[in-house]
Amino acid sequence: MELIQMKPIIIGHRGVAGTYPENTRASFLAAAKAGLTWIELDIQPEAEGQLVVCHDHELGRCSDGQGRVDAHSLQALKQLDFGGWFAPEFQGEQILTLEELFALLHEYPIAINIEIKVDETHDQEKVARELYRVLSVANMDPQRVLLSSFSHEVLTICHQMSSVYPLAVLTEKLTAADSKLMKEIGAVACNINYRALDEVTLEQLHQAGLQVWVYTVNEPEHFTLKDQVDGIFTDYPGRFI
Ligand code: G3P
Ligand code: MG
């Protein structure tokens, strides 16, 4: 499966998280209107298993709510403000479902890296099933989607459920288990913390036929391998373009 190419791809992290409240409508629209070719976002289940766009499992940092996302119904989550914590002009930003996100970006030629945020308390098979259901209802073009996760379990389940959408293994630092998994699931990319990437690891991943996307680079001058990697996640895409 070929991913849309432009080396390195600049991926708007959680939209444009440096200047907009992360993972919100305002943040994704800013990315799309700026002409970015890719964005990254985080998904997880609410109480009933519907997938919502949110990074933390706890609500406190990015909303005026408290407790876990999966302890709330969608209706309850929709009452919360996901913008005011960032700046007063974003007050009233609501959490998005993944379905709403696809509808929002439908008219833009932007590709979407969906990071599946699951922990040991989630039913990971249920999350994967719901993800594929939403992707299929939205009829998402596989060229416009990359699924990634730190969870080896959910990636294995995704691989077993479908081969339609490309997969990437997320890691803080490349391990033997990551390399084994990438082979097993036919991953197209390794999405790795830029701080843990050296030339030897980069070469090793490229030799294995993998793309290398690095997170989260907000100061381009501090990342010396920027011309050798395939993708760069950043909260400040304007600093790269
Ligand atoms: O997907 C890249 C990056 O977002 C992974 O880390 O914690 O920012 O979701 P995190
Ligand atoms: Mg993420």
Side-chain angles (χ1 to χ4, degrees):
M1 187 86 55
E2 287 291 313
L3 295 173
I4 292 170
Q5 282 284 10
M6 185 184 80
K7 203 175 167 184
I9 298 164
I10 302 301
I11 307 116
H13 188 233
R14 309 178 196 173
V16 186
T19 34
Y20 294 85
E22 65 182 55
N23 282 323
T24 62
R25 177 183 300 260
S27 191
F28 298 127
L29 280 180
K33 287 179 179 167
L36 292 188
T37 53
W38 279 86
I39 48 158
E40 184 259 9
L41 56 91
D42 309 282
I43 58 155
Q44 58 182 299
E46 49 76 89
E48 302 298 323
Q50 294 188 72
L51 298 176
V52 292
V53 182
C54 187
H55 179 274
D56 297 5
H57 294 311
E58 292 287 331
L59 289 163
R61 182 177 64 86
C62 291
S63 80
D64 56 356
Q66 290 297 327
R68 276 181 66 95
V69 171
D70 61 2
H72 291 71
S73 66
L74 182 59
Q75 197 188 8
L77 291 170
K78 284 283 185 186
Q79 308 303 314
L80 302 175
D81 171 22
F82 280 79
W85 69 274
F86 188 83
E89 66 262 36
F90 297 112
Q91 221 156 20
E93 283 286 343
Q94 287 184 330
I95 201 164
L96 291 168
T97 63
L98 185 59
E99 275 160 306
E100 288 169 340
L101 182 276
F102 288 153
L104 179 74
L105 296 180
H106 181 70
E107 63 184 280
Y108 297 94
I110 197 164
I112 305 170
N113 173 203
I114 301 169
E115 181 188 342
I116 310 164
K117 281 276 186 223
V118 278
D119 65 19
E120 60 291 344
T121 67
H122 291 116
D123 179 340
Q124 306 204 8
E125 193 172 326
K126 187 174 168 196
V127 170
R129 205 177 312 115
E130 176 63 5
L131 173 57
Y132 284 124
R133 189 194 68 76
V134 175
L135 284 163
S136 141
V137 168
N139 198 19
M140 285 299 290
D141 176 357
Q143 298 251 14
R144 286 183 61 202
V145 174
L146 175 67
L147 307 180
S148 64
S149 186
F150 287 104
S151 162
H152 286 197
E153 183 183 338
V154 85
L155 287 172
T156 302
I157 294 167
C158 284
H159 171 64
Q160 286 163 356
M161 274 188 191
S162 167
S163 57
V164 173
Y165 295 97
L167 302 173
V169 172
L170 260 165
T171 188
E172 277 293 335
K173 184 179 192 304
L174 187 65
T175 64
D178 293 326
S179 296
K180 183 166 171 278
L181 178 70
M182 287 189 283
K183 239 189 215 162
E184 284 168 3
I185 66 172
V188 297
C190 178
N191 295 0
I192 185 169
N193 190 324
Y194 79 97
R195 292 191 172 91
L197 187 70
D198 54 29
E199 291 207 47
V200 174
T201 308
L202 180 63
E203 179 60 19
Q204 181 190 331
L205 290 165
H206 277 160
Q207 282 297 328
L210 293 151
Q211 289 198 23
V212 179
W213 290 19
V214 292
Y215 65 89
T216 303
V217 186
N218 288 335
E219 286 157 353
E221 61 282 7
H222 292 165
F223 180 53
T224 51
L225 298 173
K226 60 177 171 295
D227 296 325
Q228 295 173 57
V229 297
D230 306 282
I232 298 176
F233 296 93
T234 179
D235 297 322
Y236 297 94
R239 295 180 184 173
F240 288 85
I241 295 164

